[in-house]
């Protein structure tokens, strides 16, 4: 379990402030996801202060959420957006109806002053209406992809991924992808070890790459024995070993081609990409726990060489191993030793 240390806190030691705009018709699931990810106290982390401080806000008092199942009252107005470091815009089903001017203005103000802007599900429509997505990569729920292209042709829509990270603007696909993007943000802010702890509390996969597909053709395998769950559990226990795709296929008693098809159908990714993602996650956790020797991190994570570790870590996190350690390691110190 992660132990408290100052590198997990924002500059000045205060929690990172997150605001969520709850508009008329907003989906409750995405609001709940934001609350679970960024609003709950986490005493199990042993940190001196919360990681995030969450505020819900609405354009008018008494907002009725999707289908009128809930009415949200007693929360701040949109002025609360002006103090946020990150602004989250959840989705709603009526995407033909334009967002109100006050909501769009709040989104634009937050972006103009440098806040990180995040959309969950069809919240990307609001970001596009505000003009934040023109010429950028973005995603949305697959069901609304054609409408999105019709309404916002200048956006570089990627409809078959879980989420897209454009740095200051991030978009998630269907509702459950909000959890994937949220954990990605936690990992980007506080490192893999904290993200794993949060995912454990959620009882949710710690890391699904944003490039994975939103949905699969066969969510439930026709033949129970084709489930990848036993194979994934076996591989995760041996992720630091020199496992290959051929080894996974042998373990599953299928050909590599069949294994590839099953990974695509059930996980929306390839066996090699899954292996690499698990190994990079392990490498990050080793660095966070204080391992300074780059060759040891590469060997124990299954990435093999220091050069491969550097390349994979930079691709996944945008940081070199030394920069990653300075940001997320147990204490500032010398660069990692090769």
């Amino acid at each position: 379990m992660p132990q408290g240390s100052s590198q997990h806190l924002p500059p000045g030691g205060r929690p990172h402030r997150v605001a969520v705009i709850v508009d008329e018709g907003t989906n409750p699931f995405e609001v709940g996801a934001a609350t679970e990810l960024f609003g709950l106290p986490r005493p199990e982390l042993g940190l001196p202060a919360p990681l995030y401080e969450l505020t819900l806000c609405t354009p008018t008092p008494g907002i009725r959420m999707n289908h009128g199942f809930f009415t949200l009252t007693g929360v701040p107005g949109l002025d609360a957006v002006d103090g946020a470091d990150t602004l989250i815009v959840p989705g709603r089903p009526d995407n033909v109806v334009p967002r109100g001017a006050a909501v769009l203005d709040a989104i634009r103000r937050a972006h103009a002053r440098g806040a990180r802007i995040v959309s969950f599900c069809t919240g990307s429509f609001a970001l596009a209406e505000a003009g934040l997505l023109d010429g950028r990569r973005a995603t949305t729920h697959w069901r609304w992809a054609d409408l999105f292209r019709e309404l916002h042709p200048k956006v570089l829509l990627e409809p078959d991924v879980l989420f897209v990270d454009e740095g200051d603007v991030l978009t998630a696909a269907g509702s459950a992808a909000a959890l994937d993007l949220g954990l990605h943000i936690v990992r980007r802010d506080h490192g893999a070890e904290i993200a794993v702890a949060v995912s454990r509390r959620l009882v949710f996969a710690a890391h699904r790459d944003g490039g994975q597909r939103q949905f699969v053709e066969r969510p439930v395998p026709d033949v129970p024995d084709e489930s990848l769950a036993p194979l994934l559990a076996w591989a995760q226990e041996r992720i630091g070993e020199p496992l290959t795709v051929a080894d996974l296929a042998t373990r599953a008693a299928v050909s590599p081609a069949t294994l590839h098809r099953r990974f695509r159908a059930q996980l929306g990714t390839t066996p090699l990409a899954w292996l690499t993602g698990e190994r990079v996650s392990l490498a990050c956790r080793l660095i966070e726990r204080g391992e300074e020797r780059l060759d040891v991190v590469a060997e124990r994570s299954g990435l093999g060489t220091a050069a491969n570790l550097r390349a994979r870590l930079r691709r996944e996190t945008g940081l070199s191993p030394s920069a990653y350690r300075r940001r997320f390691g147990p204490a500032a110190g010398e660069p990692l030793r090769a």
Side-chain angles (χ1 to χ4, degrees):
M1 187 61 62
Q3 297 300 311
S5 60
S6 60
Q7 82 276 11
H8 294 303
L9 298 178
R14 66 165 178 76
H16 182 105
R17 294 170 296 197
V18 178
V20 180
I21 292 181
V22 185
D23 200 359
E24 192 74 23
T26 290
N27 292 324
F29 180 89
E30 286 109 63
V31 177
T35 302
E36 183 75 28
L37 286 159
F38 305 110
L40 297 186
R42 302 195 182 279
E44 69 274 15
L45 298 182
L47 299 176
L51 298 175
Y52 298 97
E53 179 183 284
L54 182 75
T55 300
L56 304 181
C57 56
T58 61
T60 58
I63 284 289
R64 285 169 52 85
M65 301 177 75
N66 190 4
H67 289 93
F69 288 130
F70 303 96
T71 299
L72 184 63
T73 61
V75 299
L78 293 180
D79 289 347
V81 170
D82 296 330
D85 303 303
T86 292
L87 172 63
I88 297 176
V89 184
R92 67 181 197 188
D94 52 345
N95 296 295
V96 177
V97 179
R99 272 63 177 173
V103 169
L104 297 180
D105 286 346
I107 295 171
R108 294 186 188 108
R109 288 199 315 271
H111 183 253
R113 63 177 174 77
R116 179 169 56 191
I117 311 298
V118 177
S119 69
F120 287 167
C121 196
T122 56
S124 52
F125 279 80
L127 270 55
E129 289 175 45
L132 271 59
L133 299 182
D134 286 355
R136 288 179 177 262
R137 296 164 51 248
T139 193
T140 195
H141 193 294
W142 60 267
R143 183 182 176 190
W144 301 102
D146 290 340
L147 176 63
F148 190 96
R149 286 195 183 98
E150 179 184 340
L151 295 177
H152 307 292
K154 295 181 180 179
V155 180
L156 307 179
L157 185 68
E158 297 187 4
D160 199 23
V161 298
L162 291 176
F163 60 83
V164 172
D165 181 348
E166 284 281 277
D168 60 334
V169 178
L170 301 89
T171 52
S175 295
L179 294 172
D180 291 298
L181 178 54
L183 286 170
H184 170 77
I185 290 170
V186 173
R187 188 166 52 251
R188 202 174 92 171
D189 290 347
H190 302 289
E193 190 83 347
I194 292 289
V196 166
V198 174
S199 72
R200 187 181 299 117
R201 171 95 168 254
L202 288 166
V203 195
F204 191 75
H207 179 255
R208 292 200 297 169
D209 184 76
Q212 290 189 32
R213 293 162 58 193
Q214 288 191 33
F215 67 97
V216 296
E217 287 84 356
R218 296 186 298 118
V220 179
D222 295 330
V223 180
D225 287 345
E226 291 186 359
S227 169
L228 289 172
L231 177 64
L232 300 184
W234 176 84
Q236 284 170 332
E237 292 178 356
R238 298 161 176 81
I239 205 68
E241 300 176 11
L243 289 177
T244 66
V245 174
D247 293 330
L248 297 182
T250 299
R251 176 69 184 182
V254 297
S255 69
T258 297
L259 185 71
H260 186 94
R261 286 194 296 272
R262 289 185 183 177
F263 264 77
R264 276 295 186 189
Q266 296 181 40
L267 299 182
T269 189
T270 67
L272 182 58
W274 181 84
L275 273 173
T276 301
E278 291 294 313
R279 285 168 169 158
V280 170
S281 179
L282 177 56
C284 289
R285 295 174 70 186
L286 289 170
I287 293 171
E288 292 172 30
R289 291 174 180 178
E291 179 54 65
E292 298 182 6
R293 295 163 295 177
L294 197 56
D295 56 340
V296 172
V297 173
E299 180 181 359
R300 290 181 60 190
S301 65
L303 291 172
T305 66
N308 190 39
L309 170 61
R310 289 190 187 95
R312 295 296 180 181
L313 194 67
R314 188 175 290 278
R315 179 182 180 276
E316 293 293 325
T317 69
L319 300 171
S320 68
S322 292
Y324 191 92
R325 178 174 179 262
R326 285 194 297 271
R327 182 169 178 182
F328 298 119
E334 296 299 321
L336 287 167
R337 300 193 298 269

